[in-house]
Amino acid sequence: MSERLQRRSFLAGLWAALSAMFGANMTAAAANQPPQKAEGREGRAGIHPWLGDGEQVTADVVLDGKVVAQLNDTATLPGLKKLPALVFDLPPGLKRLQLRGSLRDAEGRAGSFSKTWTVRDMAPISAPLYDGSRPMIERVRAFAEKTELAEVAAPRLPAGAAAEAAFQQLERRLYVQLPAPLRQLLGEADIKIDDSYFLAPQDLGTVSELLLKGWDYTRSGGPTALDTLLPETILARYDRSVAVFIEVGDGLGALAWDPAGVSLHEPANTWGDKGNPGARPATPNEGVWYWLHQEHIDEPELLLDEEYQPKSAEAALTNVFQRFALSQAAYPETEDELVIDTAHPRNLLQLSFDGPKKPRLWFRSYDYHYSLY
């Protein structure tokens, strides 16, 4: 059995055990959490149709035999969108979700469809990460202990050194004030997810320093010169941004924080979501978080909420665990299974079609390429 299949088998067994032991309590706890700013509400889902230009889908949304909403959407641009075409509540203990309706193509030809999925809720695994009553470091520790999808150890610091001294030194050097959730997370733990990891306090620096010292780029001259590869605005962003998490996989990537924030209508550079209005400035001095990767080094992917404003520090740091840890447990086991997560503030359910009568609905909130929520 391959390593990936072994991991998926382990996670499926883990989910079943946790559902039996903790499912009811965790679902109730998730439902009682207060709404999180700019992250939607708990126990809700959005359907995001992926249609061709001019195609129209109309469908009833049926939850455990009860019609709760109707989807009616016509695509003006192809691809997945950040904003859902329909939002509806996910009731506790949901067992089945059915879509029944029709798909009309750009020429007016229509075909009807009806499909039912068996629902699997990831809340027993994910709920600790969304427990707003606990400090973030405690949420991460609880999540790691329950799932083993992340490793949390004592912080890596030189003998006799303190995390606070490293933070203050960096802040003086860069003339910034690091976000409090970041200070807490890095100051109290060394965190790894597979081969990827958060940087230790003494190893923090700018993105440009990371690219030059660790990723073999040069400042100028040659095919890997930053001043050749990057627009001036992106190079300036990398010069002032703090890199905090290193992705080790198909090439190198990182999560970083830019204290300067965004400019109005700045491209988000997220995969899909064509025709979006671009970024909107939010709270002054809170900056913007983003992902960068070697494969598209000149297009950092901004982490924006559904109003296209920068996500909070807690939401951005949580995205690390969504993108690299929870994504490992979010695969459906069969074509007729729909994974959801009632602990997540908003479930991104992509609706696409393999044919007029063959709808496909799948959970993408934890997909590596879709940081839309």
Side-chain angles (χ1 to χ4, degrees), residues 217-284:
Y217 289 89
T218 60
R219 188 73 189 189
S220 60
T224 59
L226 296 182
D227 61 2
T228 300
L229 295 172
L230 304 176
E232 289 185 8
T233 55
I234 301 302
L235 182 54
R237 166 164 280 161
Y238 289 174
D239 283 343
R240 64 179 179 255
S241 297
V242 179
V244 303
F245 179 83
I246 306 302
E247 172 192 352
V248 180
D250 295 333
L252 295 171
L255 175 68
W257 172 69
D258 179 359
V262 299
S263 58
L264 184 63
H265 304 313
E266 178 182 347
N269 293 327
T270 50
W271 200 94
D273 198 26
K274 294 180 180 179
N276 72 75
R280 298 175 55 221
T283 307

Side-chain angles (χ1 to χ4, degrees), residues 27 56-57 71 103 112 122 125 135 155 168 170 190 200 202-203 229 252 322 332 338 346:
T27 301
Q56 180 182 22
V57 60
L71 171 68
L103 175 68
S112 61
M122 287 180 60
I125 291 176
Q168 291 183 6
L170 180 71
D190 176 39
Q202 69 275 11
D203 296 330
L229 295 172
L252 295 171
Q322 295 170 329
L338 174 65
R346 176 71 64 78

Side-chain angles (χ1 to χ4, degrees), residues 305-348:
D305 65 23
E306 60 186 5
E307 301 296 329
Y308 292 93
Q309 294 181 324
K311 286 192 173 186
S312 68
E314 284 199 0
L317 294 169
T318 300
N319 186 245
V320 171
F321 301 93
Q322 295 170 329
R323 187 165 176 154
F324 292 95
L326 285 168
S327 61
Q328 301 178 42
Y331 293 99
E333 296 299 321
T334 70
E335 291 185 358
D336 296 326
E337 181 181 71
L338 174 65
V339 176
I340 63 170
D341 188 348
T342 55
H344 193 289
R346 176 71 64 78
N347 287 242
L348 192 165

Side-chain angles (χ1 to χ4, degrees), residues 44-46 90 120-123 126 130 322 326-327 329-332 337-351 360-368 370 373:
R44 290 174 70 78
L90 290 172
R120 171 164 64 90
D121 191 356
M122 287 180 60
S126 69
Y130 302 110
Q322 295 170 329
L326 285 168
S327 61
Y331 293 99
E337 181 181 71
L338 174 65
V339 176
I340 63 170
D341 188 348
T342 55
H344 193 289
R346 176 71 64 78
N347 287 242
L348 192 165
L349 303 180
Q350 177 186 322
L351 174 63
R360 183 185 183 195
L361 190 67
W362 48 321
F363 178 66
R364 310 221 70 176
S365 294
Y366 299 147
D367 192 295
Y368 177 90
Y370 291 83
Y373 283 155

